[in-house]
Amino acid sequence: MKKTENQMLIIFGASGDLTARKLVPALFSLFKDNHLPENFVVLGVSRSNLSDSDFRKKVVQESEYLKKKTKDLDSKIIDRFCEKLFYEDLGKDYDTSYKGLQKRITDLNVEHGTDQNCIFYLSTPPSLYEAIAKNLAEVGLNDQNTGWKRIIVEKPFGYSLESARQLNDGLHQYFKESQIYRIDHYLGKETVQNLLVTRFANSIFEPLWNRNYIHHVEITNAESGGVELRGGYYDKSGALRDMFQNHLLQIVSLVVMEPPIGSNADEIRNEKVKALKSLRIMKDEKTLHDNTIKAQYISSIINGEKVKGYREEEGVDPDSSTETYAAIKFYVDNWRWADVPFYVRTAKRMPTKVTEVVIHFKTPHHQIFKDSGLNNKDNKLIIRIQPDEGILIKFGVKVPGQGFKVERANLDFYYSSLVENNVMEAYERLLLDAMQGDATLYARADEVEAAWEFVDPILDYWKNGKGVKTYGYSAGVWGPTNADELIEGLGMWRNPSENLADDPGFCVIC
Ligand code: BG6
């Protein structure tokens, strides 16, 4: 196990939702499982007027997000965790002098022996990132001569290629790239990391992982929920910016990349950048029209209950054309993937919450069992990111009896079978990695920009293109019916159910 050095975690935006919902619960689990260093302090920073004890109450003692984790625990454990938490009020503005903050950090460092190592976690709107970095630098809090300094930034990282570049340039004025950790919580998921292991720790998949054997690749990210309380943010973002540019292109890069020469952060990230740069950028309106679909959920009744349409959600413009569904077909211009179509879709208000990668292999090039019913039953490798995490291979077996009828059978693996392992949640894993200085699962500047380079023309076309349509789909169905046209000639999307092994079309009726 790697050593975690003594350090202080300073969270900007500490009175916000993410701190209570994700960061503090992740820190609590790390604490409980003895992953935190001996000397460790969390300093929450924001514009709310809170004392240390108010902050502890808010994010630990009275937090609904920690209830489950702390339910049967001795209160002494919770108290010991609380003693590590402190709060500093920045006043009215994040863009202010950080002299007071610097003093607090110095004092806490002396009291708790955190060796002047600091991680600054920016859980604020991205518009504040550069100002915070500048103000930290002004009081020397980017200086690594006295302890290391790292900065973690949350998504969205930019709103477009141009704004992502500006953000990178802005941060690079004050922090070196090696100090910057861009978080993408999908990379913290075990099953996403396992894509690397499936591909590069086995000799049976990689020889087939190319255009000679793969017919097409399908990636689905579906959520059953709507935009919930985030309508204001989401309406300016949409599915392409919210999920596709980051989480889904990260998954794509792991499917597409070449074998890295080793497993260190830059070796892996170099290959991911190369993969993203090989996505064929769609330039002309016809290509964009033929290969992209945007849609929005409309009100419907699910399980007897009326569900709001997107335009009726709080914070959403009643005339909004923001997409809650995005499906994109594209190609990868390199030796391995030439002519293999990729189909990637993401959406809210689908029938179930599921994320999976499906590798569809080609049917055998010479059919021996001509009347076997084999057609359209290609071999599939299904990598389930969530839920019912696992891997499923669909392959042909002989139906017992006369002749050679072929049926598809399943070969499956479930993460739940690894019962002894306590699987870390995404934020736990990512925070611990940053604390140990491992940036493998964080996005690098060029990676983020390469992803925007692919996404920008689609966004631009959807905003300014002629005759671009936003289709409607009833909340609770698999998107607009014309989305199947994108998979022309291949039938339809594999509309998965909650359970990995259930075939599409499976449903529970009571
Ligand atoms: C976030 C998006 O990054 O990921 C949300 O902003 C989305 O809109 C969420 O709901 C999905 O994450 P997960 O881990 O639940 O699939």
Side-chain angles (χ1 to χ4, degrees), residues 155 185-186 189 223 230 242-243 247 348 353 386:
K155 71 169 263 265
H185 81 275
Y186 266 57
K189 293 182 192 272
E223 289 184 80
R230 297 161 72 230
D242 185 51
M243 290 296 301
H247 307 321
K348 299 222 180 257
K353 180 172 169 72
Q386 61 190 23

Side-chain angles (χ1 to χ4, degrees), residues 274-290:
K274 231 168 80 190
L276 290 169
K277 286 194 167 168
S278 60
L279 306 189
R280 188 186 301 166
I281 295 174
M282 292 182 252
K283 292 190 177 125
D284 60 283
E285 290 219 345
K286 174 155 182 9
T287 310
L288 285 155
H289 171 269
D290 294 348

Side-chain angles (χ1 to χ4, degrees), residues 330-359:
F330 61 88
Y331 289 91
V332 180
D333 283 335
N334 65 16
W335 190 271
R336 182 186 288 264
W337 294 108
D339 301 328
V340 177
F342 280 68
Y343 301 88
V344 180
R345 63 181 170 165
T346 175
K348 299 222 180 257
R349 282 277 181 241
M350 298 270 101
T352 188
K353 180 172 169 72
V354 61
T355 304
E356 66 174 28
V357 177
V358 189
I359 309 289

Side-chain angles (χ1 to χ4, degrees), residues 186 217-223 243-244 247-248 251-252 255 325-328 342-348 350-360 382-387 477-479 484 487 492-497:
Y186 266 57
V217 176
E218 184 183 340
I219 301 177
T220 290
N221 166 265
E223 289 184 80
M243 290 296 301
F244 183 87
H247 307 321
L248 289 174
I251 295 177
V252 167
V255 172
Y325 175 105
I328 314 288
F342 280 68
Y343 301 88
V344 180
R345 63 181 170 165
T346 175
K348 299 222 180 257
M350 298 270 101
T352 188
K353 180 172 169 72
V354 61
T355 304
E356 66 174 28
V357 177
V358 189
I359 309 289
H360 294 261
I382 301 162
I383 300 172
R384 185 55 88 90
I385 309 293
Q386 61 190 23
V477 306
W478 283 105
D484 281 337
I487 304 219
M492 51 194 296
W493 297 87
R494 190 188 115 87
N495 291 335
S497 88

Side-chain angles (χ1 to χ4, degrees), residues 70 100-101 233 268 362 441 454 461 510:
T70 51
L101 176 64
Y233 148 78
I268 291 182
K362 292 183 172 171
L441 300 177
F454 179 74
Y461 169 67
C510 60

Side-chain angles (χ1 to χ4, degrees), residues 43-235:
L43 177 61
V45 175
S46 77
R47 291 170 303 182
S48 308
N49 181 11
L50 301 174
S51 64
D52 290 343
S53 69
D54 293 337
F55 181 55
R56 291 170 184 174
K57 258 192 220 139
K58 180 176 160 61
V59 297
V60 183
Q61 287 137 336
E62 291 173 4
S63 164
E64 55 170 308
Y65 302 111
L66 263 183
K67 266 196 196 128
K68 232 165 87 194
K69 291 193 185 204
T70 51
K71 203 168 73 193
D72 301 318
L73 285 183
D74 183 344
S75 65
K76 282 196 198 111
I77 300 181
I78 301 161
D79 293 347
R80 271 185 23 237
F81 177 67
C82 278
E83 282 162 16
K84 295 185 180 296
L85 268 52
F86 300 87
Y87 183 81
E88 177 75 12
D89 179 5
L90 263 192
K92 278 205 261 1
D93 203 347
Y94 280 96
D95 194 4
T96 181
S97 162
Y98 286 3
K99 281 212 174 104
L101 176 64
Q102 181 206 28
K103 176 160 184 338
R104 187 77 196 276
I105 291 175
T106 309
D107 291 348
L108 285 171
N109 176 61
V110 171
E111 260 170 67
H112 297 273
T114 51
D115 297 343
Q116 301 188 61
N117 295 325
C118 295
I119 299 189
F120 302 100
Y121 195 117
L122 310 197
S123 170
T124 62
S127 53
L128 297 170
Y129 292 171
E130 192 180 329
I132 294 175
K134 176 189 78 161
N135 294 318
L136 287 171
E138 261 168 21
V139 292
L141 283 169
N142 58 347
D143 179 3
Q144 303 212 82
N145 289 319
T146 48
W148 48 254
K149 306 288 180 297
R150 297 175 191 144
I151 185 161
I152 303 182
V153 291
E154 265 292 336
K155 71 169 263 265
F157 197 84
Y159 189 73
S160 60
L161 176 60
E162 198 192 334
S163 55
R165 280 190 180 140
Q166 279 168 4
L167 205 47
N168 278 331
D169 292 347
L171 289 177
H172 286 152
Q173 288 179 58
Y174 311 105
F175 286 85
K176 291 195 211 99
E177 179 59 26
S178 59
Q179 293 175 277
I180 304 172
Y181 291 66
R182 295 172 194 77
I183 207 162
D184 185 307
H185 81 275
Y186 266 57
L187 288 176
K189 293 182 192 272
E190 280 291 336
T191 42
V192 173
Q193 294 156 33
N194 192 47
L195 270 164
L196 282 173
V197 175
T198 304
R199 287 192 56 193
F200 303 127
N202 293 298
S203 57
I204 55 173
F205 298 117
E206 201 48 27
L208 309 182
W209 208 267
N210 58 54
R211 68 187 304 274
N212 297 329
Y213 297 96
I214 294 178
H215 187 271
H216 67 282
V217 176
E218 184 183 340
I219 301 177
T220 290
N221 166 265
E223 289 184 80
S224 46
V227 292
E228 328 263 274
L229 301 173
R230 297 161 72 230
Y233 148 78
Y234 195 89
D235 207 31

